[in-house]
Amino acid sequence: MQQSTIKIGLSACLAGDKVRFDTGHKKSNFCMDELGKHVEYKKFCPEVAVGLPIPRPTIRQVRFGDTIKVCRPDGTGDVGPKLTEYGKRVATEQTAELSGFVFCAKSPSCGMERIKIYNEAGTGNTSEGIGFFAEQIMVHNPLLPCEENGRLNDMHLRENFVMRVYTYKHWQTLNEQPLTVHRLTQFHAQYKYLLMAHNYEAYRSLGNLLGTFDGEDIQTLADEYILGLMTALKKPASRKNNANTLMHLQGYFKKSLSKIEKQELRDAIDEYRQGLVPLYVPLTLIKHHLKVHPNEYLAKQVYLDPYPNELKLRYGI
C-alpha cells in the first residue's frame, strides 16, 4: 500500500511539550520514540489554546445542577464553553488530514473517557466524564481512530490503534480519486482476512453490501461501508479468531507444502491458539511460504502486514 505521510493528532504534553498546569509534560515514549519514526504529529494543547497560562491553577470537571463546568476546585474560572468551542473548530477545520488522534488520559479537556466529575462541594466524584476538547473531536469525526496514552500501554490496544490508523489512512488515500464500485471492491478484497479476524459477521455483511449494490449512489455505499469497517476493527481480534483466520490462510498452501511443512504450520497455529507463542510466529511461517509459493491474492492481504514490521506490535499479542 503506497501512502503519503500519516498524520496523527496528539495532546502536546505527550510530545514532551511543557504545557501542563505545573509546567511539566507527560511524554509518551511509544508515540515519540517508536510510532513517531513512521508518522507526523499535529500537536494540540486546548487549555493553552483557550488562554490559560503556564503554570496555572488546576482545573477539573465539576457538576453544578444539570451543568458541568471545567473550572478551578473552588468553582471559579469556568473554561468549559471555550474548550467546547475550540474543540468544534479543530474538529471541523483541522482534522481532515489526520488519520488518528492520541489524547492525554484523565485530563478534563483531553481525556477520552472515565474523567472524574466532582460534586459542587468537592467531597466526591464519579468517573463518567469525557474531556471537553476530546469529545468534540470524536463526535465530529466518528471514523477517526482515537486512543489515550495510558491505554496504549496495553499491547492489544496499542496494536489495534495503529492498525486502525493505517487502515483509515488507506481509505483516505483511496478517496483522493473518485470512487467506483470496482475500486471499492478491490479495497474490500484486501481487508478480507483482517475483517475475518476481528468480526466475521461484519466480514460477511460488508461483502453482501458491496455485492448487492444497485449502482444508484456510490457515496452512500462508501459511507456505509467505511463506517462498518472501522466499527468492526475497533475491537481487538481474539486469539481464537486470529487462529481461525490463520487456518484459512494455511489452506492456500495445501497443494504446495510437504507433509512436514504442513504439520509445522499447523503446530505453530495451534501453539498460538494456546497462548504459547505470539502471533508473529505463525505469520512469519505463512509469509515465508508465500515467498516460496507466490499467490497474488494472498500477497495483497492487509492482514499479513497492516503496518510497518519495525513496530514489532505482533510480538506481544
Side-chain angles (χ1 to χ4, degrees), residues 76-314:
T76 62
D78 179 23
V79 291
K82 288 183 177 180
L83 288 171
T84 297
E85 180 186 355
Y86 176 66
K88 285 181 180 177
R89 192 163 69 248
V90 170
T92 56
E93 298 175 4
Q94 300 185 48
T95 54
E97 64 178 353
L98 301 182
S99 302
F101 210 115
V102 182
F103 296 105
C104 181
K106 301 180 181 180
S107 162
S109 57
C110 284
M112 279 178 59
E113 58 184 13
R114 298 191 299 274
I115 304 304
K116 289 183 178 180
I117 302 178
Y118 292 81
N119 62 29
E120 189 172 348
T123 55
N125 62 74
T126 59
S127 297
E128 58 182 343
I130 302 174
F132 276 40
F133 171 77
E135 183 173 26
Q136 295 304 314
I137 302 298
M138 294 188 291
V139 166
H140 288 87
N141 299 277
L143 300 176
L144 187 70
C146 294
E147 200 45 275
E148 290 183 330
N149 59 313
R151 283 168 50 92
L152 288 176
N153 292 323
D154 181 302
M155 286 302 298
H156 290 85
L157 296 179
R158 176 185 294 190
E159 189 275 341
N160 182 264
F161 171 70
V162 175
M163 175 273 295
R164 287 186 290 126
V165 166
Y166 274 82
T167 297
Y168 191 47
K169 177 60 177 179
H170 189 188
W171 176 257
Q172 291 171 313
T173 302
L174 184 75
N175 278 266
E176 290 174 1
Q177 301 294 329
L179 277 180
T180 63
V181 176
H182 176 66
R183 293 180 71 232
L184 191 52
T185 302
Q186 282 188 319
F187 178 89
H188 175 68
Q190 293 177 266
Y191 283 86
K192 173 179 178 178
Y193 289 111
L194 189 64
L195 254 176
M196 183 181 289
H198 284 262
N199 189 318
Y200 188 79
E201 288 305 313
Y203 153 69
R204 294 187 62 183
S205 65
L206 290 174
N208 289 336
L209 176 69
L210 297 179
T212 57
F213 179 61
D214 60 10
E216 293 274 327
D217 186 349
I218 184 69
Q219 192 57 56
T220 297
L221 173 69
D223 291 345
E224 186 174 350
Y225 174 82
I226 191 57
L227 179 61
L229 177 65
M230 297 306 296
T231 301
L233 296 181
K234 198 168 186 178
K235 182 179 180 181
S238 68
R239 190 172 290 271
K240 177 182 177 182
N241 286 352
N242 266 325
N244 290 341
T245 301
L246 292 167
M247 293 295 290
H248 277 276
L249 299 182
Q250 178 186 250
Y252 284 87
F253 303 104
K254 62 183 178 182
K255 294 182 179 179
S256 52
L257 299 186
S258 69
K259 187 175 181 180
I260 292 176
E261 288 172 327
K262 288 179 183 177
Q263 188 60 52
E264 180 186 38
L265 183 51
R266 278 196 296 268
D267 288 346
I269 294 173
D270 197 48
E271 286 177 354
Y272 166 72
R273 190 194 303 271
Q274 296 177 56
L276 301 177
V277 298
L279 182 58
Y280 85 91
V281 171
L283 274 175
T284 299
L285 261 181
I286 287 173
K287 287 194 277 188
H288 164 72
H289 293 313
L290 184 58
K291 286 181 180 179
V292 179
H293 309 285
N295 180 293
E296 185 178 357
Y297 180 75
L298 193 57
K300 291 181 179 179
Q301 289 301 312
V302 172
Y303 181 76
L304 296 177
D305 292 293
Y307 37 70
N309 288 325
E310 294 86 348
L311 288 168
K312 300 181 179 179
L313 295 174
R314 283 172 160 170

